[in-house]
Amino acid sequence: MISRGAIIFRQLFDRSCCGYSYLIGDRSQNIALLIDPVLECVDRDLKLTNELGLELKYVLNTHVHADHITGSGMIKNRLNTKENLKVMSIISESSRAQADICVSDGEVIDCGSIKLTVAYTPGHTNGCMSLIDHLNRRVFTGDTLFIRGCGRTDFQNGSASKLYDSVHSQLFTLPDEYNVFPAHDYNGQSVSTVGEEKKFNPRLTKSKEEFIKIMENLNLDYPKMMDVAVPKNMICGG
Amino acid sequence: MISRGAIIFRQLFDRSCCGYSYLIGDRSQNIALLIDPVLECVDRDLKLTNELGLELKYVLNTHVHADHITGSGMIKNRLNTKENLKVMSIISESSRAQADICVSDGEVIDCGSIKLTVAYTPGHTNGCMSLIDHLNRRVFTGDTLFIRGCGRTDFQNGSASKLYDSVHSQLFTLPDEYNVFPAHDYNGQSVSTVGEEKKFNPRLTKSKEEFIKIMENLNLDYPKMMDVAVPKNMICGG
């Protein structure tokens, strides 16, 4: 047996978009799910999943990404046959994207002993969700909450006001010691905690008015991949 | 309190050299050590250490790096005064580098409840050490063992034969479930286990003769940073 623990957890990084994917496996049933896979990393991710003796059951996207094409379509193409839909894609209902399963706030995604509670956290896009693993005291925050930052709110029906409310009502109400695993980090950090972000996040510790002003004045470039990535990701990679 | 656990553990990444540093803190005494800090990341690392309410006690280098300048010198300059040597640098005796403390195989580095056992693992350089945290079932393998790979052995008194022996006698003899945390990963993986590397490492699962042949035929470029980094790192950043 490779791992003593019942849960296998791997944080995986894509350098081109500074994106994190998360492989979570249940060793007792040898099944797994993958959060926010990246197209260019599918070979790596499937090789690892296979070496760990895990069968992928779900590929999840926390939202319709604008900076990379999701790996979920290719993973499904590789592993599924017409007769056997082994892997299913999951995205939020409110994203209005196509997936095998669309989930809403409060639903629990069930994969063996892995239970992820969906928290609807719009703001970066109108369809963003976070995923809470209460058992392991972790939350996957997508592009809603970053380590000492947050996702931009200037496209895809983004809203600074909604993002602020999402973080304060859905994420900062979790216990302080919950680990925060974002979908991106541009500064080499891998994990934070709810308590830390409540205390040190330079944007989200501000008042809502100040936060909105900060977000309005970021003057960010139009995302390079946006026009290619969004249509593909609206069908979870096709 | 930020973290419920007694031990704070943070993996930190530097994209320019694909290097990992590790901050390990003991929450009960609020002291910490930092393994393989990178010069360009000192601001980030000290800010995080400070936010977590930790006082750095040791900065360790697993070896004299050739691809980046260690952050240990700058960290000492920032935090120490002539009267108060708060932070001390550590490196292996066999590296022949200058540091406040030089350690040898079997010694235990003690930082509150953090206990790191030194394992002398030459091969990438003649002074490489790995650090075993038995309590948390982790090993920091420096450039000796990578995830599905290993450090090069063609400079700094490197030896493929020695690296092979180091891995097989010092690392592959650890329990299978110990997590492997390397000093680099070029493929976006963050952690492995001893059991996985024993089974899937494409180089180190080979016979010693085959391994030596693989390492002799890598034909790698001369490291860009080598002539600047090695002299600086021989004095742990100065």
mmCIF file of all heavy atoms in Angstrom, chain B residues 202-225:
data_model
loop_
_atom_site.group_PDB
_atom_site.id
_atom_site.type_symbol
_atom_site.label_atom_id
_atom_site.label_comp_id
_atom_site.label_asym_id
_atom_site.label_seq_id
_atom_site.Cartn_x
_atom_site.Cartn_y
_atom_site.Cartn_z
ATOM 1 N N PRO B 202 11.624 6.490 -12.387
ATOM 2 C CA PRO B 202 12.119 5.838 -13.603
ATOM 3 C C PRO B 202 13.629 5.592 -13.596
ATOM 4 O O PRO B 202 14.106 4.736 -14.330
ATOM 5 C CB PRO B 202 11.733 6.820 -14.719
ATOM 6 C CG PRO B 202 11.515 8.124 -14.047
ATOM 7 C CD PRO B 202 11.084 7.824 -12.640
ATOM 8 N N ARG B 203 14.356 6.329 -12.770
ATOM 9 C CA ARG B 203 15.808 6.121 -12.715
ATOM 10 C C ARG B 203 16.205 5.172 -11.589
ATOM 11 O O ARG B 203 17.013 4.275 -11.765
ATOM 12 C CB ARG B 203 16.525 7.461 -12.488
ATOM 13 C CG ARG B 203 16.365 8.422 -13.644
ATOM 14 C CD ARG B 203 17.072 9.745 -13.329
ATOM 15 N NE ARG B 203 16.856 10.704 -14.415
ATOM 16 C CZ ARG B 203 17.237 11.959 -14.373
ATOM 17 N NH1 ARG B 203 17.837 12.436 -13.292
ATOM 18 N NH2 ARG B 203 17.017 12.763 -15.395
ATOM 19 N N LEU B 204 15.622 5.418 -10.423
ATOM 20 C CA LEU B 204 16.152 4.741 -9.229
ATOM 21 C C LEU B 204 15.559 3.361 -8.980
ATOM 22 O O LEU B 204 15.949 2.668 -8.043
ATOM 23 C CB LEU B 204 16.023 5.661 -8.021
ATOM 24 C CG LEU B 204 17.068 6.788 -8.106
ATOM 25 C CD1 LEU B 204 16.604 8.051 -7.443
ATOM 26 C CD2 LEU B 204 18.404 6.303 -7.537
ATOM 27 N N THR B 205 14.622 2.971 -9.823
ATOM 28 C CA THR B 205 14.140 1.580 -9.785
ATOM 29 C C THR B 205 15.027 0.680 -10.655
ATOM 30 O O THR B 205 14.878 -0.541 -10.626
ATOM 31 C CB THR B 205 12.693 1.497 -10.327
ATOM 32 O OG1 THR B 205 12.614 2.254 -11.542
ATOM 33 C CG2 THR B 205 11.696 2.066 -9.333
ATOM 34 N N LYS B 206 15.936 1.307 -11.413
ATOM 35 C CA LYS B 206 16.857 0.523 -12.265
ATOM 36 C C LYS B 206 18.010 -0.058 -11.432
ATOM 37 O O LYS B 206 18.192 0.301 -10.266
ATOM 38 C CB LYS B 206 17.443 1.452 -13.341
ATOM 39 C CG LYS B 206 16.427 2.063 -14.294
ATOM 40 C CD LYS B 206 16.039 1.091 -15.379
ATOM 41 C CE LYS B 206 15.320 1.783 -16.536
ATOM 42 N NZ LYS B 206 14.033 2.417 -16.166
ATOM 43 N N SER B 207 18.792 -0.949 -12.049
ATOM 44 C CA SER B 207 20.006 -1.445 -11.383
ATOM 45 C C SER B 207 21.006 -0.304 -11.307
ATOM 46 O O SER B 207 20.902 0.680 -12.047
ATOM 47 C CB SER B 207 20.612 -2.597 -12.180
ATOM 48 O OG SER B 207 21.200 -2.095 -13.370
ATOM 49 N N LYS B 208 21.976 -0.456 -10.421
ATOM 50 C CA LYS B 208 22.984 0.603 -10.258
ATOM 51 C C LYS B 208 23.719 0.857 -11.576
ATOM 52 O O LYS B 208 23.973 2.011 -11.943
ATOM 53 C CB LYS B 208 23.961 0.201 -9.161
ATOM 54 C CG LYS B 208 24.901 1.308 -8.755
ATOM 55 C CD LYS B 208 25.674 0.948 -7.505
ATOM 56 C CE LYS B 208 26.738 1.976 -7.193
ATOM 57 N NZ LYS B 208 27.491 1.641 -5.984
ATOM 58 N N GLU B 209 24.037 -0.178 -12.298
ATOM 59 C CA GLU B 209 24.766 -0.041 -13.567
ATOM 60 C C GLU B 209 23.919 0.739 -14.579
ATOM 61 O O GLU B 209 24.408 1.651 -15.245
ATOM 62 C CB GLU B 209 25.132 -1.422 -14.146
ATOM 63 C CG GLU B 209 26.194 -2.170 -13.358
ATOM 64 C CD GLU B 209 25.748 -2.559 -11.941
ATOM 65 O OE1 GLU B 209 24.558 -2.894 -11.739
ATOM 66 O OE2 GLU B 209 26.592 -2.474 -11.010
ATOM 67 N N GLU B 210 22.671 0.379 -14.683
ATOM 68 C CA GLU B 210 21.787 1.101 -15.614
ATOM 69 C C GLU B 210 21.634 2.558 -15.197
ATOM 70 O O GLU B 210 21.624 3.458 -16.029
ATOM 71 C CB GLU B 210 20.400 0.437 -15.658
ATOM 72 C CG GLU B 210 20.351 -0.870 -16.427
ATOM 73 C CD GLU B 210 18.976 -1.534 -16.299
ATOM 74 O OE1 GLU B 210 18.688 -2.076 -15.188
ATOM 75 O OE2 GLU B 210 18.205 -1.511 -17.264
ATOM 76 N N PHE B 211 21.493 2.773 -13.886
ATOM 77 C CA PHE B 211 21.343 4.139 -13.381
ATOM 78 C C PHE B 211 22.551 4.995 -13.757
ATOM 79 O O PHE B 211 22.407 6.127 -14.241
ATOM 80 C CB PHE B 211 21.154 4.116 -11.851
ATOM 81 C CG PHE B 211 21.087 5.487 -11.231
ATOM 82 C CD1 PHE B 211 19.933 6.255 -11.331
ATOM 83 C CD2 PHE B 211 22.179 6.020 -10.554
ATOM 84 C CE1 PHE B 211 19.870 7.530 -10.770
ATOM 85 C CE2 PHE B 211 22.123 7.284 -9.993
ATOM 86 C CZ PHE B 211 20.973 8.042 -10.102
ATOM 87 N N ILE B 212 23.731 4.451 -13.541
ATOM 88 C CA ILE B 212 24.957 5.205 -13.861
ATOM 89 C C ILE B 212 24.992 5.548 -15.345
ATOM 90 O O ILE B 212 25.325 6.677 -15.737
ATOM 91 C CB ILE B 212 26.217 4.418 -13.416
ATOM 92 C CG1 ILE B 212 26.263 4.347 -11.878
ATOM 93 C CG2 ILE B 212 27.494 5.039 -13.975
ATOM 94 C CD1 ILE B 212 27.321 3.414 -11.312
ATOM 95 N N LYS B 213 24.594 4.612 -16.175
ATOM 96 C CA LYS B 213 24.565 4.859 -17.626
ATOM 97 C C LYS B 213 23.573 5.996 -17.964
ATOM 98 O O LYS B 213 23.877 6.875 -18.742
ATOM 99 C CB LYS B 213 24.167 3.564 -18.359
ATOM 100 C CG LYS B 213 25.039 3.293 -19.588
ATOM 101 C CD LYS B 213 24.747 1.942 -20.213
ATOM 102 C CE LYS B 213 25.682 0.866 -19.691
ATOM 103 N NZ LYS B 213 25.278 -0.491 -20.145
ATOM 104 N N ILE B 214 22.398 5.940 -17.345
ATOM 105 C CA ILE B 214 21.395 7.010 -17.573
ATOM 106 C C ILE B 214 22.002 8.367 -17.224
ATOM 107 O O ILE B 214 21.929 9.325 -17.994
ATOM 108 C CB ILE B 214 20.114 6.772 -16.725
ATOM 109 C CG1 ILE B 214 19.349 5.543 -17.216
ATOM 110 C CG2 ILE B 214 19.207 8.006 -16.746
ATOM 111 C CD1 ILE B 214 18.240 5.072 -16.270
ATOM 112 N N MET B 215 22.627 8.433 -16.052
ATOM 113 C CA MET B 215 23.144 9.719 -15.570
ATOM 114 C C MET B 215 24.308 10.210 -16.428
ATOM 115 O O MET B 215 24.484 11.415 -16.626
ATOM 116 C CB MET B 215 23.564 9.617 -14.094
ATOM 117 C CG MET B 215 22.440 9.277 -13.124
ATOM 118 S SD MET B 215 20.981 10.342 -13.260
ATOM 119 C CE MET B 215 21.573 11.851 -12.474
ATOM 120 N N GLU B 216 25.085 9.280 -16.963
ATOM 121 C CA GLU B 216 26.218 9.667 -17.822
ATOM 122 C C GLU B 216 25.757 10.218 -19.170
ATOM 123 O O GLU B 216 26.513 10.908 -19.846
ATOM 124 C CB GLU B 216 27.116 8.446 -18.075
ATOM 125 C CG GLU B 216 28.095 8.182 -16.943
ATOM 126 C CD GLU B 216 28.845 6.858 -17.124
ATOM 127 O OE1 GLU B 216 28.519 6.097 -18.078
ATOM 128 O OE2 GLU B 216 29.729 6.581 -16.296
ATOM 129 N N ASN B 217 24.566 9.880 -19.560
ATOM 130 C CA ASN B 217 24.087 10.263 -20.896
ATOM 131 C C ASN B 217 23.022 11.364 -20.886
ATOM 132 O O ASN B 217 22.270 11.514 -21.839
ATOM 133 C CB ASN B 217 23.548 9.021 -21.622
ATOM 134 C CG ASN B 217 24.687 8.081 -21.993
ATOM 135 O OD1 ASN B 217 25.623 8.471 -22.679
ATOM 136 N ND2 ASN B 217 24.622 6.846 -21.505
ATOM 137 N N LEU B 218 22.953 12.133 -19.800
ATOM 138 C CA LEU B 218 21.923 13.183 -19.737
ATOM 139 C C LEU B 218 22.284 14.404 -20.592
ATOM 140 O O LEU B 218 21.395 15.100 -21.080
ATOM 141 C CB LEU B 218 21.683 13.622 -18.286
ATOM 142 C CG LEU B 218 21.002 12.594 -17.380
ATOM 143 C CD1 LEU B 218 20.847 13.163 -15.968
ATOM 144 C CD2 LEU B 218 19.624 12.179 -17.905
ATOM 145 N N ASN B 219 23.599 14.640 -20.758
ATOM 146 C CA ASN B 219 24.064 15.781 -21.587
ATOM 147 C C ASN B 219 23.360 17.088 -21.242
ATOM 148 O O ASN B 219 22.788 17.750 -22.106
ATOM 149 C CB ASN B 219 23.859 15.470 -23.078
ATOM 150 C CG ASN B 219 24.664 14.255 -23.505
ATOM 151 O OD1 ASN B 219 25.821 14.139 -23.142
ATOM 152 N ND2 ASN B 219 24.028 13.352 -24.248
ATOM 153 N N LEU B 220 23.417 17.446 -19.978
ATOM 154 C CA LEU B 220 22.744 18.661 -19.522
ATOM 155 C C LEU B 220 23.614 19.897 -19.753
ATOM 156 O O LEU B 220 24.843 19.808 -19.791
ATOM 157 C CB LEU B 220 22.407 18.533 -18.029
ATOM 158 C CG LEU B 220 21.441 17.392 -17.697
ATOM 159 C CD1 LEU B 220 21.411 17.148 -16.192
ATOM 160 C CD2 LEU B 220 20.033 17.705 -18.203
ATOM 161 N N ASP B 221 22.958 21.038 -19.887
ATOM 162 C CA ASP B 221 23.685 22.304 -20.029
ATOM 163 C C ASP B 221 24.396 22.656 -18.727
ATOM 164 O O ASP B 221 23.959 22.275 -17.629
ATOM 165 C CB ASP B 221 22.706 23.442 -20.361
ATOM 166 C CG ASP B 221 22.162 23.308 -21.777
ATOM 167 O OD1 ASP B 221 22.823 22.643 -22.604
ATOM 168 O OD2 ASP B 221 21.071 23.853 -22.044
ATOM 169 N N TYR B 222 25.444 23.434 -18.855
ATOM 170 C CA TYR B 222 26.129 23.987 -17.680
ATOM 171 C C TYR B 222 25.146 24.935 -16.978
ATOM 172 O O TYR B 222 24.534 25.783 -17.635
ATOM 173 C CB TYR B 222 27.363 24.751 -18.161
ATOM 174 C CG TYR B 222 28.295 25.213 -17.078
ATOM 175 C CD1 TYR B 222 29.211 24.327 -16.493
ATOM 176 C CD2 TYR B 222 28.293 26.533 -16.645
ATOM 177 C CE1 TYR B 222 30.080 24.761 -15.501
ATOM 178 C CE2 TYR B 222 29.162 26.970 -15.649
ATOM 179 C CZ TYR B 222 30.047 26.078 -15.085
ATOM 180 O OH TYR B 222 30.917 26.501 -14.102
ATOM 181 N N PRO B 223 24.968 24.790 -15.670
ATOM 182 C CA PRO B 223 23.964 25.639 -14.982
ATOM 183 C C PRO B 223 24.314 27.119 -15.094
ATOM 184 O O PRO B 223 25.419 27.518 -14.747
ATOM 185 C CB PRO B 223 24.047 25.173 -13.527
ATOM 186 C CG PRO B 223 24.734 23.859 -13.569
ATOM 187 C CD PRO B 223 25.633 23.869 -14.758
ATOM 188 N N LYS B 224 23.342 27.877 -15.561
ATOM 189 C CA LYS B 224 23.524 29.325 -15.788
ATOM 190 C C LYS B 224 24.080 30.069 -14.571
ATOM 191 O O LYS B 224 24.915 30.933 -14.669
ATOM 192 C CB LYS B 224 22.161 29.967 -16.132
ATOM 193 C CG LYS B 224 21.788 29.917 -17.592
ATOM 194 C CD LYS B 224 20.499 30.695 -17.832
ATOM 195 C CE LYS B 224 19.332 30.058 -17.087
ATOM 196 N NZ LYS B 224 18.016 30.534 -17.469
ATOM 197 N N MET B 225 23.523 29.701 -13.405
ATOM 198 C CA MET B 225 23.830 30.447 -12.182
ATOM 199 C C MET B 225 25.075 29.940 -11.455
ATOM 200 O O MET B 225 25.518 30.545 -10.483
ATOM 201 C CB MET B 225 22.643 30.336 -11.213
ATOM 202 C CG MET B 225 21.431 31.148 -11.575
ATOM 203 S SD MET B 225 21.708 32.891 -11.237
ATOM 204 C CE MET B 225 21.687 32.912 -9.421
#
